[in-house]
Amino acid sequence: MDRVKDLASKKAAVIFTKSSCCMCHSITQLFYELGASPAVHELDNDPYGRQMEWALRSLGCNPSVPAVFIGGKFVGSSKDVISLHVDGSLKQLLMDAKAIWF
Amino acid sequence: MPEASRVDSFCLSDFDQSIGNHLENAVELSGNPVNNSLKVSSQTISPGPVHLGTSDRLPISVDRSSFMYLEDRLSLLAQKVQSTNHIIIPSGDTENQEGSAMADASPRTDISTDADTDDKNQRFDGSQSLAAVASDSSDRSKDKTDQKTLRRLAQNREAARKSRLRKKAYVQQLESSRLKLTQLEQELQRARQQGIFISSSGDQAHSMSGNGAMQFDVEYARWLEEQNRQINELRAAVNSHASDTELRMIIDGILAHYDDIFRLKGVAAKADVFHLLSGMWKTPAERCFLWLGGFRSSELLKLLVNQLEPLTEQQLVGITNLQQSSQQAEDALSQGMEALQQSLAETLSSGSLGSSGSSGNVANYMGQMAMAMGKLGTLEGFIRQADNLRQQTLQQMHRILTTRQSARALLAIHDYFSRLRALSSLWLARPRD
């Protein structure tokens, strides 16, 4: 969990993924489309990957990836991100965290 | 070797006796063509080395010289029969006709397929050949009669053979017909079971596979009916200038009803994701616009903008943003799907024809299949998020618009899909040459 929190705080937009996960690819692409440059961490390529996945699940993230953090705060999985994007909240969060400017 | 000669004479005298008996029979037979006992198996009198049909009934120790004598006579006879067969011309002479008529008319022709009868015939044949041999070497007058007899025998054999073949073909035909009948019965049973579904979901029935798909199609048909009812209620309320409160009530009901179908689709995605993706539960024209198992929210909003005027500035911005957001989300999901397709293709095409041992190849193959299975499992997630997007878009639209505008929007959406469905029906019913 420490490692998760640590990595999440390092950048305005942070996404935890797995290299094999295509939904993670979707969410990451959305962030790029919005002009954000998220830090992407692949759990399957991280030595502490398993513990990190466990930590993400304990935060309520199901499935565990993609797990999105904005401004160091846990936002949610793909379902949450899409919902937030549709009602305009996602953009606002990104702007507030200085991940994007417009 | 007195023993041998004793045996020898014993055997020959047996034959003499049987020859005598059959000579009489031969005389009788020649005068009476219709005689069923003339059935002979085709194998007894054949060109080439003649197998003495009665050999298994002879005493074991037959003198070699007598055996050779018999062999000689039999081979002579065989040659004679062969040459006789060539002479037989279907010139309409009575013997020929009788021969074939006998085979057709007589029901007992078929009995000759029994192995037992054949054996008996064989035994009879052996003696018959010998009788013919005996008669050949004696009387000239009887010679002609026996020739006729031989001809008739050959014809009978041929007729019997043809009869057997016909019977075999007929039986085979019966068997295949019976099989086909069973298959048709099963199909009919299956069709009857689906019959109730066919009547409610139009042309989509034949592509159903499995319980999940069928069940969803039924539920969807029911959902459409209910939606029609609600929309009619809304239209009546709008036309009768009902109050906002009343409209809001109906609108909430319609939105909740939309939640129902998204929930049902979620269940169906677990049961049969490919059925949803195929769009076979929708009409053909709707299928044309299919995206990840449903409609494209962004397209829908584009259509609505014109119909929703007048919009306030804020509303216009809101709707435009909504349209853009849904477009972006749709693109993101589409890219994820493409990545999935590519990944799946790579998994299935990674070469397994390496130099590793066969067990390595099998493990490889199974590993690849397992990975591919895992990837297919993620399809459900994509459909789920696509529906999530549709649901969120509808709700956001409702938030941006006033009650009356929402009512008009929902009517417009329904009318659009309704027309697409009507178009499908027209298309399917179009006259073709």
Side-chain angles (χ1 to χ4, degrees):
Chain A
M1 180 62 83
D2 290 338
R3 182 158 168 78
V4 165
K5 286 260 151 82
D6 182 49
L7 288 171
S9 62
K10 285 248 168 55
K11 220 170 173 200
V14 176
I15 309 179
F16 293 97
T17 67
K18 277 186 194 163
S19 57
S20 58
C21 169
C22 293
M23 186 57 78
C24 299
H25 181 80
S26 282
I27 298 301
T28 314
Q29 286 301 119
L30 181 64
F31 271 65
Y32 289 142
E33 178 64 30
L34 296 176
S37 311
V40 177
H41 300 288
E42 288 178 350
L43 294 184
D44 48 339
N45 287 332
D46 194 295
Y48 300 99
R50 208 160 283 248
Q51 292 105 303
M52 289 163 77
E53 187 172 352
W54 194 89
L56 289 171
R57 273 200 211 277
S58 70
L59 284 175
C61 196
N62 189 29
S64 57
V65 290
V68 174
F69 288 76
I70 298 178
K73 283 212 293 227
F74 177 62
V75 165
S77 187
S78 47
K79 182 174 182 173
D80 308 297
V81 169
I82 287 174
S83 303
L84 289 170
H85 183 51
V86 167
D87 70 8
S89 310
L90 186 69
K91 234 179 180 180
Q92 195 57 52
L93 282 171
L94 286 170
M95 285 203 282
D96 292 346
K98 308 270 197 303
I100 57 175
W101 284 270
F102 50 89
Chain B
M1 292 183 272
E3 217 177 84
S5 58
R6 242 209 328 273
V7 168
D8 185 27
S9 55
F10 176 72
C11 301
L12 281 178
S13 65
D14 264 356
F15 276 126
D16 282 342
Q17 208 172 26
S18 60
I19 284 170
N21 288 340
H22 293 296
L23 260 178
E24 288 171 35
N25 288 344
V27 169
E28 274 175 36
L29 290 169
S30 61
N32 182 14
V34 184
N35 190 322
N36 292 327
S37 61
L38 271 182
K39 298 295 170 292
V40 292
S41 147
S42 52
Q43 41 177 208
T44 3
I45 301 177
S46 53
V50 180
H51 173 68
L52 190 59
T54 61
S55 61
D56 55 341
R57 281 159 180 81
L58 286 171
I60 301 165
S61 51
V62 174
D63 185 38
R64 185 167 166 72
S65 57
S66 40
F67 187 74
M68 281 167 67
Y69 163 79
L70 289 171
E71 263 197 354
D72 284 343
R73 303 312 296 181
L74 279 170
S75 53
L76 256 177
L77 173 67
Q79 282 169 31
K80 240 196 163 210
V81 170
Q82 209 179 14
S83 55
T84 315
N85 276 340
H86 290 314
I87 296 170
I88 293 177
I89 301 164
S91 55
D93 74 311
T94 51
E95 276 188 75
N96 226 350
Q97 286 172 345
E98 278 159 6
S100 46
M102 208 161 86
D104 284 338
S106 166
R108 287 178 62 178
T109 309
D110 296 314
I111 298 174
S112 63
T113 54
D114 289 351
D116 294 332
T117 357
D118 276 350
D119 265 351
K120 266 190 271 173
N121 287 337
Q122 268 192 0
R123 188 157 176 259
F124 181 81
D125 295 337
S127 326
Q128 190 75 19
S129 336
L130 291 170
V133 167
S135 62
D136 184 42
S137 51
S138 52
D139 228 336
R140 272 307 278 176
S141 59
K142 279 182 187 166
D143 195 23
K144 224 181 158 197
T145 322
D146 285 313
Q147 269 196 6
K148 281 192 189 170
T149 310
L150 285 171
R151 229 181 298 155
R152 201 180 304 121
L153 288 176
Q155 285 164 11
N156 286 347
R157 271 199 307 282
E158 192 53 38
R161 193 176 69 87
K162 284 193 185 140
S163 212
R164 279 196 296 275
L165 287 172
R166 273 202 306 275
K167 182 190 179 186
K168 195 178 174 191
Y170 178 66
V171 168
Q172 276 177 355
Q173 209 180 32
L174 276 180
E175 298 270 288
S176 61
S177 295
R178 197 166 62 90
L179 193 66
K180 193 150 189 245
L181 184 66
T182 318
Q183 285 174 354
L184 283 171
E185 275 177 358
Q186 283 176 359
E187 267 184 58
L188 188 64
Q189 179 76 334
R190 245 180 276 133
R192 255 195 229 114
Q193 277 176 0
Q194 294 180 6
I196 37 168
F197 305 133
I198 290 171
S199 58
S200 63
S201 52
D203 68 300
Q204 305 143 6
H206 49 273
S207 57
M208 294 179 194
S209 60
N211 248 346
M214 251 202 299
Q215 191 170 343
F216 176 71
D217 287 7
V218 170
E219 286 165 345
Y220 177 64
R222 234 181 266 144
W223 184 87
L224 270 179
E225 271 178 41
E226 174 61 19
Q227 210 209 13
N228 282 337
R229 194 196 61 75
Q230 286 180 331
I231 289 291
N232 285 338
E233 196 187 340
L234 182 65
R235 204 189 307 275
V238 167
N239 289 342
S240 66
H241 306 288
S243 66
D244 269 19
T245 328
E246 208 180 317
L247 285 177
R248 213 173 295 132
M249 232 173 37
I250 304 173
I251 289 169
D252 286 345
I254 293 175
L255 286 174
H257 193 60
Y258 267 109
D259 288 345
D260 280 348
I261 192 61
F262 290 126
R263 189 172 32 84
L264 286 170
K265 282 178 82 181
V267 173
K270 269 208 186 347
D272 191 347
V273 67
F274 289 104
H275 176 64
L276 282 183
L277 279 173
S278 74
M280 290 309 287
W281 52 283
K282 282 190 182 250
T283 63
E286 287 175 292
R287 228 176 286 149
C288 198
F289 298 92
L290 198 77
W291 173 78
L292 266 182
F295 61 85
R296 255 188 210 271
S297 317
S298 59
E299 286 302 314
L300 210 63
L301 288 168
K302 267 188 225 161
L303 296 169
L304 283 177
V305 164
N306 299 330
Q307 298 188 47
L308 290 174
E309 286 166 1
L311 290 169
T312 67
E313 191 70 30
Q314 195 183 21
Q315 281 179 329
L316 195 56
V317 169
I319 293 290
T320 313
N321 284 346
L322 179 60
Q323 191 197 314
Q324 192 187 37
S325 301
S326 55
Q327 180 93 59
Q328 285 166 338
E330 282 163 22
D331 289 346
L333 286 174
S334 294
Q335 285 184 50
M337 277 293 279
E338 271 177 44
L340 177 61
Q341 264 189 324
Q342 209 167 355
S343 171
L344 193 62
E346 269 166 33
T347 305
L348 291 175
S349 64
S350 48
S352 54
L353 302 173
S355 51
S356 54
S358 59
S359 63
N361 276 345
V362 168
N364 238 2
Y365 178 85
M366 283 168 64
Q368 280 167 27
M369 281 299 162
M371 240 201 315
M373 283 286 281
K375 292 190 196 295
L376 279 187
T378 63
L379 277 172
E380 188 202 326
F382 276 96
I383 284 217
R384 181 153 273 142
Q385 292 315 317
D387 278 343
N388 180 33
L389 177 60
R390 292 173 189 119
Q391 194 174 19
Q392 296 300 321
T393 308
L394 279 172
Q395 285 174 1
Q396 177 68 3
M397 181 199 76
H398 175 62
R399 269 179 243 132
I400 294 171
L401 300 174
T402 65
T403 308
R404 238 155 250 286
Q405 282 168 330
S406 278
R408 277 196 282 141
L410 288 173
L411 288 173
I413 290 170
H414 178 265
D415 287 348
Y416 174 70
F417 286 121
S418 209
R419 279 180 213 148
L420 267 180
R421 285 192 284 268
L423 182 63
S424 297
S425 296
L426 281 174
W427 176 256
L428 290 168
R430 77 191 186 283
R432 289 174 239 211
D433 3 78

